[in-house]
């Protein structure tokens, strides 16, 4: 007798090898012919770029938005960003947000410097610069004895920035989340101000949307003008990575939406119900897509069982794509970002905790 939950069965369905993967039942919002159970929303408020940015963040002030039957409060905005904005977000997520005092999955085991791993790995390609290794904490007095030592010997020896970048899985923003206690009890850093303004702009835009084709009572009545990003997580997925089904429920404020955006590879995203026994809906998320979990969907199980290889857009993967961007001079050359984004998905999410 099958004891697996409906969510677990769906995860297994999409974790198969690429040659066996069937995407025929996955909702793809870029295909207008697939309309069953999908409803277009009209945004009541404009999606406005933060005034301080020296380039245009969004392609439209009222982009298309959708919700899906059975998931009240779920709002998806297919890529509202300009190409340059996506490259800017990739730079922030890889270079700015991974620096201390923000924490990463590598911090318990390595003495990470103030310069980002991505920047150091890029500099290592310059033979005129001195090469560096980053020391392990495990054999030093700085190692926290309450942390379980990994069996992999990689973590007990010095490693190059590139080797560590290959093992970067997440970083935490603002209120620092403790993956062991499931609490925000590891201190507070400043949530990146520009990312916060972006999330606030999205929160305002998705307040009280209306359904385009019929009378519709909004599933997101939260006043977006009250939104502030207290905490966030950036996940770095390689082509083999997954995210098991889970619910985000540590925050005291469960009325405010959980907002996320994706950069890089496409993925299959599962959105279920308040238990694992609800059959989840598979959705194809592409680079630039914005997803907000509002209302009832804020307590829904969700996960990522599959990253789709070779799906990053050319405006991210071309070696010279970002050379003329306004902020290009502040970061490593785009030729270093392009290979990473060809083989990774970056997901940044934010939530208001109080």
């Amino acid at each position: 007798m099958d004891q697996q939950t409906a969510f677990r069965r769906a995860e297994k369905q999409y974790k198969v090898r690429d040659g066996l993967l069937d995407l025929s039942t996955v909702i793809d919002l870029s295909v207008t012919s697939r309309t069953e159970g999908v409803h277009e929303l009209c945004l009541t408020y404009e999606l406005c770029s933060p005034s301080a940015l020296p380039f245009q963040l969004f392609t439209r002030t009222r982009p298309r938005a959708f919700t899906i039957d059975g998931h009240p409060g779920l709002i998806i905005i297919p890529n509202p960003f300009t190409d340059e904005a996506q490259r800017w977000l990739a730079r922030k997520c890889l270079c700015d947000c991974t620096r201390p005092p923000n924490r990463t999955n590598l911090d318990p085991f390595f003495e990470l410097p103030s310069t980002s791993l991505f920047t150091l790995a890029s500099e290592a390609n310059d033979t005129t610069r001195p090469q560096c290794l980053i020391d392990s904490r495990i054999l030093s007095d700085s190692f926290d004895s309450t942390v379980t030592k990994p069996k992999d010997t990689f973590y007990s020896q010095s490693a190059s920035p590139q080797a560590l970048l290959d093992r970067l899985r997440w970083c935490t923003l603002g209120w620092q989340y403790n993956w062991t206690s499931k609490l925000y009890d590891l201190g507070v850093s400043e949530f990146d101000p520009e990312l916060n303004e972006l999330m606030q702009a999205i929160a305002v835009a998705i307040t009280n949307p209306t359904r385009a084709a019929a009378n519709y009572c909004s599933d997101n009545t939260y006043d977006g003008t009250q939104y502030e990003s207290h905490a966030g997580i950036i996940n770095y997925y390689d082509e083999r990575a997954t995210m098991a089904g889970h619910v985000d429920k540590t925050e005291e404020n469960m009325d405010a939406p959980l907002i996320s955006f994706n950069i890089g590879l496409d993925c299959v995203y599962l959105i279920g119900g308040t238990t694992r026994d609800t059959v989840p809906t598979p959705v194809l998320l592409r680079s630039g897509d914005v997803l907000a979990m509002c209302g009832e969907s804020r307590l829904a199980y969700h996960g990522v069982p599959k990253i789709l290889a070779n799906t990053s857009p050319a405006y991210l993967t071309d070696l010279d794509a970002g050379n003329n961007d306004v902020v290009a001079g502040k970061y490593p050359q785009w030729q270093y970002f392009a290979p990473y984004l060809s083989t990774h998905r970056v997901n940044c999410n934010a939530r208001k905790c109080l």
Side-chain angles (χ1 to χ4, degrees):
M1 184 175 179
D2 186 1
Q3 298 296 320
Q4 292 183 341
T5 64
F7 202 101
R8 180 58 180 153
R9 286 194 295 271
E11 288 178 315
K12 293 185 67 175
Q13 176 183 348
Y14 294 106
K15 283 183 178 179
V16 298
R17 296 192 304 272
D18 290 346
L20 301 175
L21 184 63
D22 180 7
L23 297 177
S24 62
T25 59
V26 177
I27 293 175
D28 182 355
L29 295 176
S30 69
V31 180
T32 55
S33 60
R34 169 71 193 230
T35 57
E36 183 179 354
V38 177
H39 305 279
E40 186 161 2
L41 300 174
C42 293
L43 298 182
T44 305
Y45 301 96
E46 291 187 345
L47 185 58
C48 299
S49 294
S51 58
L53 291 180
F55 58 90
Q56 188 62 34
L57 197 58
F58 304 114
T59 57
R60 301 168 59 186
T61 56
R62 279 197 169 87
R64 300 183 76 183
F66 298 88
T67 190
I68 300 172
D69 281 349
H71 305 289
L74 180 70
I75 300 174
I76 302 175
I77 305 176
N79 184 21
F81 299 108
T82 64
D83 296 353
E84 184 170 3
Q86 281 202 45
R87 292 190 291 266
W88 171 71
L89 290 170
R91 288 172 167 121
K92 291 197 76 65
C93 290
L94 285 166
C95 295
D96 297 343
C97 295
T98 54
R99 300 169 55 198
N102 291 338
R103 296 171 64 86
T104 76
N105 61 294
L106 299 169
D107 275 274
F109 313 112
F110 292 94
E111 302 278 2
L112 297 183
S114 59
T115 303
S116 73
L117 289 175
F118 192 91
T119 299
L120 291 174
S122 303
E123 292 175 350
N125 289 278
D126 184 349
T127 57
T128 65
R129 292 177 177 267
Q131 303 300 297
C132 70
L133 291 176
I134 297 174
D135 292 334
S136 169
R137 293 181 186 271
I138 289 182
L139 300 180
S140 71
D141 294 337
S142 64
F143 182 69
D144 184 349
S145 60
T146 64
V147 174
T148 302
K149 292 183 180 180
K151 295 180 180 179
D152 189 341
T153 57
F154 172 87
Y155 292 92
S156 61
Q157 55 193 342
S158 299
S160 69
Q162 182 61 57
L164 292 181
L165 181 63
D166 291 341
R167 295 184 182 230
L168 178 65
R169 297 293 177 263
W170 53 261
C171 74
T172 48
L173 313 177
W175 295 19
Q176 297 296 294
Y177 186 69
N178 186 329
W179 298 86
T180 301
S181 68
K182 307 298 183 184
L183 298 171
Y184 294 106
D185 59 7
L186 293 177
V188 178
S189 65
E190 181 186 29
F191 196 103
D192 184 278
E194 292 172 325
L195 284 183
N196 179 47
E197 288 186 8
L198 165 61
M199 298 300 188
Q200 289 175 324
I202 295 170
V204 169
I206 63 174
T207 301
N208 285 320
T210 59
R211 188 169 292 183
N215 293 331
Y216 173 65
C217 181
S218 172
D219 294 312
N220 179 35
T221 57
Y222 180 81
D223 180 1
T225 62
Q226 302 301 307
Y227 186 87
E228 181 180 359
S229 304
H230 289 147
I233 300 170
I234 303 177
N235 294 300
Y236 306 90
Y237 297 79
D238 63 24
E239 294 170 337
R240 298 165 297 175
T242 62
M243 176 70 75
H246 65 284
V247 176
D248 297 284
K249 56 184 179 181
T250 300
E251 299 74 33
E252 288 185 31
N253 187 331
M254 297 298 289
D255 297 321
L258 190 156
I259 302 171
S260 68
F261 62 78
N262 309 275
I263 303 294
L265 295 173
D266 299 351
C267 77
V268 176
Y269 173 85
L270 296 178
I271 175 73
T274 54
T275 75
R276 296 180 189 271
D277 295 321
T278 302
V279 177
T281 301
V283 182
L284 185 65
L285 293 182
R286 300 181 183 275
S287 189
D289 288 355
V290 171
L291 185 145
M293 300 174 70
C294 318
E296 290 183 34
S297 74
R298 183 64 176 81
L299 282 170
Y301 276 88
H302 57 284
V304 178
K306 188 68 176 179
I307 303 295
L308 303 177
N310 303 313
T311 54
S312 287
Y315 54 79
L316 297 179
T317 61
D318 286 352
L319 294 178
D320 58 353
N323 289 352
N324 296 320
D325 290 348
V326 173
V327 300
K330 295 172 54 179
Y331 298 94
Q333 295 179 8
W334 192 257
Q335 63 179 345
Y336 300 118
F337 289 93
Y340 186 92
L341 294 171
S342 297
T343 57
H344 288 78
R345 170 183 182 250
V346 179
N347 172 266
C348 177
N349 62 74
R351 64 287 306 275
K352 180 179 173 67
C353 296
L354 296 176

